């Protein structure tokens, strides 16, 4: 866990290393960092892919090659990395660079480590548990379009068991077994099939007074009068969120870390999905699995602020430790669709949620 005897800062900065060490010592045990990032306080002669070059003056610029660049001035920090841009606004402590080194050492990606570093406050290293959990200290994601006026309708705070299902037939079967939150994730290029599957699923949801979400296909969900729609981070840039809100549909958004959580919260969604908690084969994930320790920290920060759903690789065995984090809902796929006895699997999973209350 020690940062000593590593080239964490360039040029070497003993005082920053000492502060980073004190902060890291209060953050607990985390997997070893997969990348040994180097925070460059001056421009290295040959920037490397694992360099984060910090600029604190507006007029500074550099052709950084494969290196990432951090521009920090005037209440704003922008990370440029691999063609992507992550912009955050707010206040930060004088120790933010030391905190950044500490959170990078906890194996967080630079944009999430940066989010945590800006939420850090000087003196937090004196706490027994120094992890940032005060939402008021977290930065804001900059340059986002306005959230829909009035926001989206609310969901129950604890959505419970949340099967994500491939067809209307599966939706009907699971709702008949007493599940009250589910999602249709229909993979088809046939417009007629999609329209029919959504209409049939929405009808089943109404019969059971259930929370039926449609994955991705927001136009069709509006047309069918669905309870809600679930979108990924990339869909926020293309979907008409105002149209979804005007139609009265709930909105669930996928997130994969601190930066995306803050970005999603800007749009005032009905719930946030946090994942992928574990490796999953049901879809290609843009990020590595989050794990239980991160999920618990996400819940600690956001519980009571927005309904939360753990998602990704959650099976029967994994459900109890997932629920132990305090998350109010957990999405499952194969735990239901590949069960040898669907009714028994649903009953067992439902009992796990009942014992959580």
């Amino acid at each position: 866990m020690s940062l000593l005897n590593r080239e964490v800062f360039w040029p070497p900065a003993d005082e920053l290393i000492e502060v980073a060490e004190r902060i890291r010592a209060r953050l607990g045990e985390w997997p070893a960092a997969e990348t040994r990032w180097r925070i460059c306080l001056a421009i290295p002669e040959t920037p490397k892919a694992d360099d984060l070059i910090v600029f604190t003056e507006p007029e500074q610029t550099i052709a950084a090659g494969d290196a990432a660049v951090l521009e920090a001035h005037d209440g704003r920090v922008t990370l440029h990395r691999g063609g992507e841009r992550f912009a955050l606004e707010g206040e930060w402590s004088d120790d933010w660079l030391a905190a950044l080194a500490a959170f990078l050492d906890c194996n967080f990606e630079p944009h999430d480590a940066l989010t945590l570093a800006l939420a850090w406050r000087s003196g937090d290293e004196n706490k027994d548990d120094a992890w940032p959990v005060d939402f008021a200290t977290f930065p804001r994601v900059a340059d986002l379009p306005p959230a829909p006026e009035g926001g989206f309708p609310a969901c129950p705070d604890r959505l419970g068991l949340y099967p994500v299902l491939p067809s209307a037939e599966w939706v009907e079967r699971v709702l008949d077994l007493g599940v009250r939150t589910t999602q249709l994730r229909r993979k088809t290029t046939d417009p007629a099939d999609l329209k029919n599957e959504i209409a049939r699923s929405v009808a089943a949801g109404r019969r059971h007074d259930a929370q039926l979400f449609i994955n991705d296909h927001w136009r069709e969900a509006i047309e069918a009068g669905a309870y809600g729609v679930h979108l990924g981070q990339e869909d926020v840039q293309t979907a008409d969120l105002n149209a979804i809100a005007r139609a009265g549909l709930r909105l669930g958004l996928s997130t994969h870390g601190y930066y995306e959580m803050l970005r999603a919260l800007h749009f005032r969604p009905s719930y946030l999905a946090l994942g992928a908690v574990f490796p999953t084969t049901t879809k290609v994930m843009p990020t590595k699995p989050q794990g239980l320790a991160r999920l618990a920290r996400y819940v600690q920060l956001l519980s009571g602020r927005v309904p939360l759903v753990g998602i990704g690789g959650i099976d029967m065995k994994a459900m109890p430790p997932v629920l132990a984090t305090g998350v109010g809902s957990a999405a499952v796929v194969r735990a239901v669709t590949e069960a040898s006895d669907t009714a028994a699997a649903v009953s067992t999973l439902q009992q796990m949620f009942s014992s959580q209350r």
Side-chain angles (χ1 to χ4, degrees):
M1 197 168 70
S2 175
L3 299 174
L4 298 177
N5 302 317
R6 271 198 240 164
E7 193 178 39
V8 177
F9 294 98
W10 190 91
D14 292 343
E15 184 175 343
L16 278 175
I17 278 285
E18 290 173 6
V19 177
E21 276 275 293
R22 291 200 300 271
I23 294 172
R24 181 65 186 87
R26 297 293 187 174
L27 298 182
E29 295 291 337
W30 294 89
E34 295 174 12
T35 302
R36 294 293 181 91
W37 297 100
R38 182 176 70 161
I39 300 173
C40 299
L41 310 175
I43 301 171
E45 185 174 335
T46 306
K48 303 175 183 177
D50 53 1
D51 284 344
L52 297 175
I53 304 173
V54 181
F55 296 136
T56 57
E57 299 296 334
E59 63 274 10
Q60 288 179 303
T61 184
I62 180 180
D66 293 332
V69 170
L70 275 173
E71 298 174 337
H73 48 78
D74 302 325
R76 182 185 182 102
V77 181
T78 304
L79 168 66
H80 302 271
R81 182 189 175 209
E84 292 187 273
R85 177 177 171 276
F86 307 87
L88 293 161
E89 293 178 334
E91 300 178 358
W92 54 80
S93 77
D94 292 339
D95 293 339
W96 75 279
L97 282 174
L100 176 60
F103 288 114
L104 288 170
D105 192 66
C106 295
N107 201 29
F108 281 84
E109 287 294 311
H111 55 281
D112 285 328
L114 176 63
T115 302
L116 287 163
L118 298 182
W120 177 268
R121 291 297 177 264
S122 298
D124 282 357
E125 70 272 16
N126 297 320
K127 300 176 182 177
D128 289 337
D129 181 0
W131 201 265
V133 293
D134 181 358
F135 192 83
T137 70
F138 275 73
R140 300 175 301 278
V141 177
D143 304 330
L144 295 176
E149 191 172 342
F152 297 90
C155 282
D157 186 55
R158 306 185 80 81
L159 285 165
L161 179 63
Y162 188 170
V164 178
L165 303 167
S167 69
E169 180 182 358
W170 266 109
V171 169
E172 292 167 342
R173 185 187 311 178
V174 167
L175 293 183
D176 284 343
L177 292 172
V179 173
R180 288 298 171 263
T181 304
T182 188
Q183 180 186 135
L184 175 68
R185 184 193 286 166
R186 184 66 173 174
K187 298 179 180 180
T188 180
T189 57
D190 183 342
D193 172 78
L194 181 64
K195 184 176 181 178
N196 178 68
E197 288 288 305
I198 290 177
R200 185 174 161 186
S201 298
V202 169
R206 288 175 179 162
R207 285 197 305 272
H208 291 279
D209 193 24
Q211 289 94 225
L212 186 280
F213 291 87
I214 304 300
N215 183 272
D216 287 350
H217 301 288
W218 58 271
R219 293 182 183 87
E220 293 81 0
I222 291 174
E223 182 181 352
Y227 178 85
V229 64
H230 180 94
L231 299 177
Q233 284 278 316
E234 65 284 354
D235 300 314
V236 173
Q237 302 174 27
T238 57
D240 188 340
L241 299 187
N242 287 290
I244 296 169
R246 285 194 303 269
L249 273 65
R250 283 81 178 165
L251 175 67
L253 289 178
S254 293
T255 66
H256 310 91
Y258 281 101
Y259 183 90
E260 290 190 0
M261 279 186 264
L262 296 181
R263 184 173 184 265
L265 285 173
H266 165 82
F267 297 104
R268 293 178 287 173
S270 306
Y271 75 77
L272 289 188
L274 311 172
V277 182
F278 304 110
T280 176
T281 60
T282 60
K283 63 182 297 188
V284 177
M285 298 306 300
T287 57
K288 59 194 173 191
Q290 302 291 304
L292 289 169
R294 292 194 188 193
L295 178 62
R297 289 301 189 182
Y298 300 158
V299 172
Q300 190 178 9
L301 176 66
L302 298 177
S303 183
R305 182 169 294 274
V306 63
L308 302 172
V309 179
I311 191 169
I314 301 173
D315 58 18
M316 195 79 70
K317 182 179 179 181
M319 186 64 77
V322 166
L323 295 183
T325 67
V327 71
S329 178
V332 297
V333 181
R334 290 176 298 161
V336 169
T337 61
E338 295 184 8
S340 57
D341 185 332
T342 303
V346 167
S347 176
T348 300
L349 289 165
Q350 291 280 55
Q351 288 172 18
M352 292 179 186
F353 280 89
S354 297
S355 63
Q356 183 194 29
R357 298 189 183 99

